[in-house]
Amino acid sequence: MDNFITRRRRHELMVAGGLLVVAIVVPLFIRDVTALNVIILSLLFAGLSQAWNILGGYCGQISLGHALYFGMGSYVSTLLYVHGAIPPSIGMFAGAAVGGLAALLVGWPCFRLSGHYYAIATVVVGEIGYLLFLNWDYVGGATGVYIPIAKPSLLNLQFGKDKLPYLYVVLAFCAATWLAAWLIEGSRWGYAWRAVKDDMVAARSLGVNIFSSKMAAAAISGAFTGLGGAIYGLYVGYIDPDSVMAGHFSILIALPAVLGGVGTLWGPILGAALLIPMKELSSSYLGGSGRGVDLMLYGAMIVVVALAQPQGVVSLFRRRAHGPA
Amino acid sequence: MALLEIDGVSKSFGGVAANVDISFAVTEGEILGLIGPNGAGKTSLFNAIAGEVTPDAGEIRLDGAPISGLGPVACAERGIARTFQVVRSFDSMTVLENVMVGAFSRAGHAPVAMRAAQETLEFCGLANRAGRFAWQLSPPEKRRLEVARALATQPKLLLLDEMLTGLTPTEAQEGVQLVRAVRDRGITVIMVEHVMEIVLPLVSRAVVLNLGRVLTIGAPAEIVKNPDVIRAYLGDRYAAA
Ligand SMILES: Nc1ncnc2c1ncn2[C@@H]1O[C@H](COP(=O)(O)OP(=O)(O)OP(=O)(O)O)[C@@H](O)[C@H]1O
Ligand SMILES: [Mg+2]
């Protein structure tokens, strides 16, 4: 059947395909390592923020504790490699599974809380996770874990000094999260989740199970976040609680979607494309003192977007209403 | 045959007795009116039937099977759909998408839900609004959207809470026609309405609630002559006159 929904979805898929081709080809001509690094981080955070968007944007459950799933994903894949000799290309899926499981465990008690209380609970849980890892010797405690350098290969997901293969791995991750969101948008789940976000009482009167909707969204969101964490760990080659589990990561994961437009397919990508280069630029100019300025920058951006374009930057590109009449 | 049986249902909120020992049955295929002054307990009874609240005492049966306490999702699955006194719409979604949420309760796949939702919109006279966002609709259109969304779940029983309130006489007449068309599809309807002139011509029987209790049950002609009803609505002075 051809109507405005099916047309819109086909159009989105075509745009995404075009962007993917651009994202594959353009980096082939980039030699500058700093630029490649910024692109890699932008793609990574676009994917992470899309994962966050699946729970926070589509289902309306604002999580400020996604650093926990991110950190667990990177720890699981790293430790499986260090202690179990399981190659990261396999271990990262274990990281994803643990990320999803952790999100379910957090959701089980916390989804019974309403609105802001869920967000607050995720902050607290995230902080507890951070402190646990900081004091847990088996996982390296505050010292962290180095990922042993292995022969460059796809199996090890290590590519030596060559950044381009990493870029493609992260691009695949970003594309996978986008595709997941696109598929969800068109599915029964996507409709149920958006209904849960807009009006829970009306949703359940139509047979939508609120709790299992939130749990399903959390599992998918947490799993992709864990996967992203595993990839990040491999890319930087060293993880400790401060670099993968600290609270500001939770903000950094949520922020691109919030800036770009929550509950939209392009919001997280657009937001990451604006935010991450700016963040990297400011920290390279300001060096170690950049952290505080980062935060002020985020704060300022949130205020500007909230005032000027509450639906996110993506709404600048959108026609006022869809379809006929 | 009775589609719905309400058997001694009571519900209190804190000290307020919203429903007290309410019993009546709804026949399959009828339009039943549920009327009464403000605070009589009409919406509370709808909440109990739709599974949104669990009665403190008594039982509600659909097709002979108890449903009280099962919750709204199970009630929706068993064929109870409702609209809300204060309109609830999914404002970030288009009109068609709103109705698809309801349609998905019977359809596993998006194309099936989309087709069902489109048919339902046509039935409710909203097909030309399919692509609008729900928040863009006028108040009477929003009421229709709620009806369409509820119908998309393919209910046996439809609960309409003040669907016609606040509409102009013309809009209200269009609403009345929609309710008749719903009944003609074989769906049993319970309508809560304040304005007796609108409901009474439409319904086969009416249940009058007052202060949480059933005041009387009867055909519209009996209801308007009942002194208790007149007293409840207009006060003692008018009943004596
Ligand atoms: N969730 C609730 N918590 C507390 N009190 C409630 C609740 N729901 C209903 N009540 C009380 O129960 C009584 C009946 O309310 P209800 O909404 O059922 O009346 P109604 O007949 O629908 O009135 P109206 O015509 O104004 O809509 C009122 O006194 C109301 O304040
Ligand atoms: Mg009411």
Short mmCIF file of all heavy atoms in Angstrom, two decimals, chain A residues 6 8 14 31 37 54 64 96 102 111 122 168 185 220 227 231 255 286 289 305-306 319:
data_model
loop_
_atom_site.label_atom_id
_atom_site.label_comp_id
_atom_site.label_asym_id
_atom_site.label_seq_id
_atom_site.Cartn_x
_atom_site.Cartn_y
_atom_site.Cartn_z
N THR A 6 4.49 4.94 4.09
CA THR A 6 5.39 4.08 3.32
C THR A 6 6.31 4.90 2.43
O THR A 6 7.48 4.58 2.28
CB THR A 6 4.59 3.08 2.47
OG1 THR A 6 3.56 3.78 1.78
CG2 THR A 6 3.97 2.00 3.32
N ARG A 8 7.37 7.97 3.08
CA ARG A 8 8.37 8.60 3.95
C ARG A 8 9.47 7.59 4.31
O ARG A 8 10.65 7.91 4.28
CB ARG A 8 7.68 9.10 5.23
CG ARG A 8 8.60 9.87 6.17
CD ARG A 8 7.91 10.17 7.49
NE ARG A 8 7.74 8.97 8.27
CZ ARG A 8 6.74 8.76 9.13
NH1 ARG A 8 5.82 9.67 9.31
NH2 ARG A 8 6.66 7.63 9.81
N MET A 14 16.46 5.65 1.39
CA MET A 14 17.28 6.10 0.27
C MET A 14 18.30 7.13 0.72
O MET A 14 19.48 7.06 0.34
CB MET A 14 16.39 6.66 -0.84
CG MET A 14 15.92 5.56 -1.79
SD MET A 14 14.40 5.93 -2.71
CE MET A 14 14.43 7.66 -2.92
N ARG A 31 43.74 12.02 4.81
CA ARG A 31 45.00 11.48 5.33
C ARG A 31 45.27 11.99 6.74
O ARG A 31 46.04 11.40 7.47
CB ARG A 31 46.16 11.90 4.41
CG ARG A 31 46.17 11.19 3.07
CD ARG A 31 46.77 9.78 3.22
NE ARG A 31 46.49 8.96 2.04
CZ ARG A 31 45.38 8.24 1.89
NH1 ARG A 31 44.47 8.24 2.84
NH2 ARG A 31 45.18 7.53 0.82
N ASN A 37 40.22 10.86 13.38
CA ASN A 37 39.84 10.61 14.77
C ASN A 37 38.50 11.29 15.10
O ASN A 37 37.62 10.69 15.73
CB ASN A 37 40.94 11.12 15.69
CG ASN A 37 40.61 10.87 17.15
OD1 ASN A 37 40.28 9.75 17.52
ND2 ASN A 37 40.67 11.91 17.95
N ILE A 54 16.60 5.10 21.20
CA ILE A 54 15.62 4.01 21.10
C ILE A 54 14.82 3.91 22.40
O ILE A 54 13.61 3.73 22.38
CB ILE A 54 16.35 2.68 20.76
CG1 ILE A 54 16.78 2.70 19.29
CG2 ILE A 54 15.48 1.47 21.06
CD1 ILE A 54 17.67 1.55 18.87
N LEU A 64 19.89 8.66 32.27
CA LEU A 64 21.13 9.40 32.45
C LEU A 64 22.17 8.49 33.07
O LEU A 64 23.05 8.92 33.82
CB LEU A 64 20.89 10.65 33.31
CG LEU A 64 19.96 11.67 32.65
CD1 LEU A 64 19.63 12.81 33.59
CD2 LEU A 64 20.59 12.21 31.37
N ALA A 96 27.70 -6.61 24.26
CA ALA A 96 26.36 -6.14 23.92
C ALA A 96 25.31 -6.86 24.76
O ALA A 96 24.39 -6.24 25.32
CB ALA A 96 26.08 -6.36 22.44
N ALA A 102 22.08 -5.64 31.62
CA ALA A 102 22.20 -4.63 32.67
C ALA A 102 21.03 -3.64 32.57
O ALA A 102 20.45 -3.24 33.59
CB ALA A 102 23.54 -3.90 32.56
N PHE A 111 11.45 0.99 36.17
CA PHE A 111 10.36 1.36 35.26
C PHE A 111 9.02 1.47 35.97
O PHE A 111 8.03 1.89 35.39
CB PHE A 111 10.25 0.37 34.10
CG PHE A 111 11.29 0.61 33.05
CD1 PHE A 111 11.89 -0.45 32.39
CD2 PHE A 111 11.68 1.89 32.72
CE1 PHE A 111 12.85 -0.24 31.43
CE2 PHE A 111 12.65 2.12 31.75
CZ PHE A 111 13.23 1.04 31.11
N THR A 122 18.44 6.37 37.28
CA THR A 122 19.52 5.93 36.40
C THR A 122 20.83 6.66 36.71
O THR A 122 21.90 6.06 36.57
CB THR A 122 19.16 6.15 34.91
OG1 THR A 122 18.89 7.53 34.69
CG2 THR A 122 17.97 5.30 34.50
N TYR A 168 35.62 2.26 9.54
CA TYR A 168 34.58 1.45 8.91
C TYR A 168 33.84 0.58 9.93
O TYR A 168 32.64 0.35 9.80
CB TYR A 168 35.16 0.62 7.77
CG TYR A 168 35.51 1.48 6.58
CD1 TYR A 168 36.73 1.35 5.92
CD2 TYR A 168 34.62 2.45 6.13
CE1 TYR A 168 37.06 2.16 4.84
CE2 TYR A 168 34.94 3.28 5.06
CZ TYR A 168 36.15 3.13 4.42
OH TYR A 168 36.46 3.94 3.36
N GLU A 185 10.76 1.90 14.08
CA GLU A 185 9.75 2.91 13.73
C GLU A 185 8.59 2.32 12.94
O GLU A 185 7.45 2.75 13.08
CB GLU A 185 10.38 4.03 12.90
CG GLU A 185 10.79 5.23 13.69
CD GLU A 185 10.95 6.48 12.82
OE1 GLU A 185 10.62 6.44 11.62
OE2 GLU A 185 11.44 7.47 13.36
N ILE A 220 17.22 -3.39 23.99
CA ILE A 220 17.84 -3.08 22.70
C ILE A 220 18.80 -1.90 22.85
O ILE A 220 19.93 -1.92 22.35
CB ILE A 220 16.76 -2.78 21.66
CG1 ILE A 220 15.93 -4.04 21.41
CG2 ILE A 220 17.37 -2.27 20.36
CD1 ILE A 220 14.75 -3.84 20.50
N LEU A 227 27.69 -2.63 22.91
CA LEU A 227 28.46 -2.89 21.70
C LEU A 227 29.36 -1.70 21.38
O LEU A 227 30.55 -1.85 21.09
CB LEU A 227 27.49 -3.16 20.54
CG LEU A 227 28.08 -3.61 19.21
CD1 LEU A 227 28.76 -4.95 19.36
CD2 LEU A 227 26.99 -3.69 18.14
N ILE A 231 33.58 -1.42 21.22
CA ILE A 231 34.31 -0.87 20.08
C ILE A 231 35.20 0.29 20.53
O ILE A 231 36.36 0.41 20.13
CB ILE A 231 33.33 -0.43 18.98
CG1 ILE A 231 32.62 -1.66 18.41
CG2 ILE A 231 34.05 0.34 17.88
CD1 ILE A 231 31.49 -1.33 17.47
N LEU A 255 23.29 13.54 24.79
CA LEU A 255 23.25 14.91 24.26
C LEU A 255 23.03 15.03 22.74
O LEU A 255 22.21 15.85 22.32
CB LEU A 255 24.53 15.64 24.68
CG LEU A 255 24.40 17.13 24.88
CD1 LEU A 255 23.26 17.44 25.83
CD2 LEU A 255 25.70 17.69 25.41
N LEU A 286 42.26 23.69 24.33
CA LEU A 286 42.38 24.03 25.73
C LEU A 286 43.17 23.01 26.52
O LEU A 286 43.40 23.18 27.70
CB LEU A 286 40.99 24.21 26.35
CG LEU A 286 40.17 25.32 25.70
CD1 LEU A 286 38.72 25.18 26.05
CD2 LEU A 286 40.72 26.68 26.13
N SER A 289 42.69 21.33 30.51
CA SER A 289 41.70 22.13 31.21
C SER A 289 40.37 22.17 30.45
O SER A 289 39.44 22.85 30.85
CB SER A 289 42.22 23.56 31.41
OG SER A 289 42.34 24.18 30.14
N VAL A 305 19.28 25.34 22.18
CA VAL A 305 18.33 24.49 21.46
C VAL A 305 16.96 24.52 22.11
O VAL A 305 15.92 24.63 21.45
CB VAL A 305 18.86 23.04 21.35
CG1 VAL A 305 17.78 22.12 20.82
CG2 VAL A 305 20.07 23.00 20.44
N ALA A 306 16.96 24.46 23.45
CA ALA A 306 15.68 24.45 24.16
C ALA A 306 14.89 25.72 23.88
O ALA A 306 13.67 25.69 23.74
CB ALA A 306 15.90 24.26 25.65
N ARG A 319 9.52 19.65 6.83
CA ARG A 319 8.34 20.42 6.44
C ARG A 319 7.36 20.43 7.61
O ARG A 319 7.40 19.56 8.47
CB ARG A 319 7.67 19.78 5.21
CG ARG A 319 8.34 20.16 3.91
CD ARG A 319 8.21 19.05 2.90
NE ARG A 319 9.00 17.89 3.31
CZ ARG A 319 8.85 16.68 2.81
NH1 ARG A 319 7.95 16.45 1.92
NH2 ARG A 319 9.60 15.68 3.23
#
